[in-house]
Amino acid sequence: MNELPFIDDPIHFHQELKRIAALRKHGKVKKDRIYRLTKEERKIIHAKTGGKCHVCGKDVLVDKFEADHVKSHSSGGTSLTDNFLPTCRTCNNYRWHYLPEEFQWILKLGIWARTQIANDTALGKQMSSTFIEREKIREARRRNPRNKG
Ligand SMILES: [Zn+2]
């Protein structure tokens, strides 16, 4: 899959997002991601990207990164080091279960939303305040609240 399709109708857009989500839900993408990698395997995987998250490019520590499956088990992936790439926690939590096309839409929408917020449009203000309220709820639910900063 290369470029996302051009969609000129909001109803069609809604249907397309639902269609892709249904593919994911009825596909064989599974949460089969709990592996015990050895220290040596972690070093090999970490070195593949020069210690960067393969999604966002942020530095990840060799003993902290999460291993992202390049190919899921259902599509023939293995548990060997050549089938893993390092990701940061945020990217791994948000990205892993989405299909590539779905993730591209999410990125595109996210960048658009970010621009609305940065440009302080009416919609941007609304998204920002709703998003922050949701974030406060999520943060309050965390077992290990992070340091404020
Ligand atoms: Zn990342």
Side-chain angles (χ1 to χ4, degrees):
M1 189 214 40
N2 298 312
E3 200 178 4
L4 288 171
F6 172 67
I7 298 175
D8 64 353
D9 170 24
I11 293 165
H12 180 207
F13 184 46
H14 171 81
Q15 290 167 341
E16 181 64 7
L17 291 180
K18 298 287 268 186
R19 183 190 68 79
I20 302 167
L23 280 177
R24 165 170 43 87
K25 285 173 187 159
H26 298 118
K28 298 197 169 163
V29 184
K30 290 208 164 106
K31 297 185 176 185
D32 55 354
R33 56 196 304 85
I34 308 298
Y35 295 98
R36 282 277 165 241
L37 294 167
T38 66
K39 235 176 182 173
E40 212 40 55
E41 288 170 328
R42 291 188 65 85
K43 276 185 194 167
I44 294 166
I45 295 163
H46 189 257
K48 285 178 169 183
T49 58
K52 307 276 185 201
C53 167
H54 86 100
V55 179
C56 73
K58 191 174 148 185
D59 289 329
V60 289
L61 298 173
V62 71
D63 57 335
K64 287 272 168 66
F65 75 82
E66 298 191 3
D68 187 25
H69 254 122
V70 178
K71 225 176 174 189
S72 68
H73 274 215
S74 54
S75 52
T78 68
S79 297
L80 302 171
T81 51
D82 62 356
N83 195 32
F84 285 109
L85 284 171
T87 55
C88 69
R89 188 161 192 246
T90 300
C91 287
N92 200 35
N93 283 345
Y94 283 98
R95 194 198 72 88
W96 74 268
H97 66 287
Y98 292 109
L99 297 177
E101 188 179 1
E102 198 172 21
F103 190 66
Q104 287 182 327
W105 278 121
I106 291 165
L107 262 179
K108 198 168 181 174
L109 278 165
I111 289 167
W112 176 80
R114 180 227 157 270
T115 305
Q116 294 296 311
I117 293 165
N119 291 345
D120 219 16
T121 65
L123 182 57
K125 286 176 188 167
Q126 190 185 341
M127 283 192 291
S128 184
S129 67
T130 305
F131 179 77
I132 294 301
E133 285 312 308
R134 260 190 66 88
E135 285 292 287
K136 286 179 186 170
I137 293 165
R138 283 169 44 87
E139 188 66 22
R141 277 200 220 123
R142 278 175 75 115
R143 261 178 258 144
N144 304 307
R146 63 194 131 193
N147 297 328
K148 292 200 172 182

